[in-house]
Amino acid sequence: MQHHENRLWKLLALKLSGDATLDELSELFNYLEQYPDEKRIAESIEVYWNQQNNQANINDEMEEERFHLIVNAESEEEVKKENNDIVPITSYVHKAKFRWMYAAASVVLILGLFFFFERYHSDHSELSSQKGIQQVFVKPGSKSKIILPDGTIVRLNGSSKLSYNSDFNKSVREVNLDGEAYFDVTKDANHPFIVHTSNIDIKVLGTLFNVKSYEQDPTIEATLLRGSIEVYTKDDPSAPKVILKPNEKLVFKKNQDDNTPEERRANTDLTKGIVLPDGNISISNLPHNKPDSTKEEISWLYNKLVIDGDDFTKMAKKMERWYGVKIEILSPGLEQYHFKGIFKNETIGQALDALQLTVKFRYKIKDDVIEITE
């Protein structure tokens, strides 16, 4: 950073709180024009500030920390008011100070997200820019968190890549995803947010949802937690859009020819009043009797690997991404078995040892390759 003694962020906080003088606003403007990189960060902070103050949305550990900072600050002011005779003009000063403290806390915490990402992605993900396209790639066995130019927060799971054009947010906010990501989208009715995957496009205005779209997987999954999303099939523009409601999960099967006759008949039926295009989309509800941290679709956000009835191949693919290893199943007979389990802090060896309690198999670890046999 180019600024000295945090002067830039103090000026930005004063602007956000509405307490900046004309001279301070001029100083801030001139500084940001001189340093474009810091201007980009300042603009993102301002967008995020506006979003959070237009709707109460404490859904993140950083936001919760900011919430407690502000509540504590407000409580201190109330104590002072109770213990002192305060005339109206002093009361106004206290309110102005509160606005300043709120803005300052916001700037510091949002900056923390930026600094965390800059420090974190150097070890766990790669950031690149080519021909006007920004790309973030997260290594296997890692996770990362970024803030897009509009203030949208994206959490990326292992082996995931997210890219977007440098003119993002000028008309339509578009990103391309290969992998798994959780989106907390900044609401902006004038600039729709679209997630492009290999086979489907997902359009939103402002919402919380998870998308799992790995190139190697036979399916694409979209899970909605809050708000509304519209799903479009790429290879059939005439197909009707599918609208998801909160706590619904959409599964798109890339190759319908792999469906069994029963699956094909079921997928041509009405599901919640929606005709599923080409029979390759199904919709289900998330279980209501499970906490979010144990729901397979979003458990990775809580640093939990959930195995819920997966066969050996599907489980192996999950573990490869989770631990950053390569798993080779050398005995075809193992494919008949299914597993259940939840892992958080276990090593790959400890996880496999636990799974051996239900199914007899052997494994051998050599560097980052694991061979599994009967």
Side-chain angles (χ1 to χ4, degrees):
M1 291 294 174
Q2 304 290 333
H3 57 85
H4 302 285
E5 304 295 335
N6 294 321
R7 177 63 176 170
L8 169 60
W9 310 123
K10 180 177 181 179
L11 290 173
L12 182 59
L14 286 169
K15 178 185 177 183
L16 296 179
S17 66
D19 297 322
T21 65
L22 291 178
D23 288 341
E24 288 168 335
L25 289 174
S26 178
E27 180 183 352
L28 176 63
F29 175 80
N30 292 333
Y31 187 91
L32 294 179
E33 289 300 309
Q34 186 178 358
Y35 297 103
D37 288 342
E38 295 184 18
K39 180 179 180 181
R40 176 183 60 83
I41 296 177
E43 289 175 344
S44 295
I45 290 175
E46 192 165 355
V47 168
Y48 190 75
W49 162 271
N50 291 332
Q51 178 215 6
Q52 295 302 317
N53 284 279
N54 286 335
Q55 58 182 32
N57 177 23
I58 306 299
N59 52 33
D60 175 281
E61 65 272 11
M62 298 299 293
E63 284 301 293
E64 190 170 335
E65 183 179 350
R66 183 181 79 163
F67 176 74
H68 289 303
L69 281 174
I70 303 310
V71 169
N72 291 337
E74 187 175 31
S75 298
E76 291 176 3
E77 293 300 323
E78 291 300 325
V79 170
K80 290 180 181 179
K81 289 179 181 179
E82 292 175 0
N83 297 332
N84 297 281
D85 293 327
I86 302 175
V87 295
I89 188 170
T90 309
S91 177
Y92 173 78
V93 171
H94 278 283
K95 290 179 181 179
K97 182 179 179 182
F98 173 69
R99 287 200 308 270
W100 149 254
M101 293 177 67
Y102 186 93
S106 298
V107 170
V108 169
L109 289 170
I110 298 170
L111 270 176
L113 295 177
F114 280 101
F115 294 144
F116 171 82
F117 172 64
E118 289 176 359
R119 181 173 65 253
Y120 187 79
H121 82 67
S122 61
D123 295 327
H124 301 274
S125 59
E126 299 174 359
L127 180 65
S128 65
S129 177
Q130 293 182 343
K131 297 181 180 180
I133 298 178
Q134 306 292 327
Q135 289 186 338
V136 181
F137 175 73
V138 182
K139 299 176 182 179
S142 302
K143 291 183 286 291
S144 192
K145 178 178 180 178
I146 64 173
I147 299 180
L148 296 177
D150 67 332
T152 291
I153 297 176
V154 183
R155 301 189 184 196
L156 291 166
N157 207 349
S159 301
S160 299
K161 182 174 71 175
L162 184 79
S163 63
Y164 58 93
N165 292 331
S166 56
D167 62 352
F168 178 90
N169 204 33
K170 287 191 175 180
S171 57
V172 178
R173 298 173 291 169
E174 297 180 278
V175 299
N176 294 280
L177 174 67
D178 177 13
E180 185 168 18
Y182 175 85
F183 296 87
D184 185 352
V185 178
T186 298
K187 190 171 183 179
D188 184 352
N190 296 322
H191 299 85
F193 192 100
I194 299 177
V195 180
H196 297 287
T197 69
S198 59
N199 295 80
I200 63 174
D201 291 335
I202 301 168
K203 181 180 178 181
V204 305
L205 292 178
T207 187
L208 286 171
F209 63 103
N210 192 81
V211 180
K212 184 179 180 183
S213 176
Y214 287 99
E215 183 180 358
Q216 306 89 340
D217 287 1
T219 61
I220 299 174
E221 299 178 5
T223 303
L224 180 65
L225 302 177
R226 191 187 71 218
S228 177
I229 61 176
E230 301 173 355
V231 180
Y232 300 83
T233 305
K234 280 189 172 181
D235 58 3
D236 186 4
S238 63
K241 64 184 178 183
V242 178
I243 300 178
L244 283 192
K245 298 177 182 178
N247 292 314
E248 287 186 340
K249 172 183 173 181
L250 177 147
V251 177
F252 176 92
K253 196 160 189 177
K254 296 179 182 178
N255 188 355
Q256 188 185 351
D257 293 338
D258 292 339
N259 287 351
T260 64
E262 292 77 12
E263 289 175 324
R264 283 196 292 271
R265 283 195 297 270
N267 284 338
T268 56
D269 292 338
L270 291 178
T271 302
K272 298 179 179 59
I274 300 172
V275 179
L276 303 180
D278 298 331
N280 56 356
I281 290 180
S282 60
I283 299 175
S284 60
N285 292 308
L286 297 184
H288 294 286
N289 58 345
K290 285 186 178 182
D292 287 348
S293 61
T294 61
K295 292 177 181 176
E296 182 183 2
E297 294 80 7
I298 55 175
S299 61
W300 67 276
L301 296 168
Y302 299 86
N303 293 316
K304 291 183 179 181
L305 173 62
V306 174
I307 309 297
D308 190 9
D310 299 334
D311 61 27
F312 230 125
T313 298
K314 186 176 180 180
M315 182 186 70
K317 184 60 65 178
K318 284 185 177 180
M319 298 184 84
E320 285 181 340
R321 292 167 182 158
W322 191 260
Y323 291 105
V325 298
K326 175 65 177 177
I327 297 179
E328 298 178 350
I329 303 174
L330 303 181
S331 300
L334 293 174
E335 297 293 344
Q336 63 178 310
Y337 298 107
H338 292 75
F339 299 85
K340 282 194 173 185
I342 299 177
F343 303 103
K344 186 171 183 180
N345 298 318
E346 291 83 358
T347 65
I348 181 66
Q350 291 171 334
L352 291 172
D353 289 342
L355 293 171
Q356 284 180 321
L357 298 177
T358 58
V359 175
K360 292 183 179 181
F361 66 89
R362 298 178 182 179
Y363 70 89
K364 180 171 63 177
I365 301 177
K366 184 178 181 182
D367 297 325
D368 291 332
V369 178
I370 299 175
E371 296 180 349
I372 294 182
T373 58
E374 290 182 307

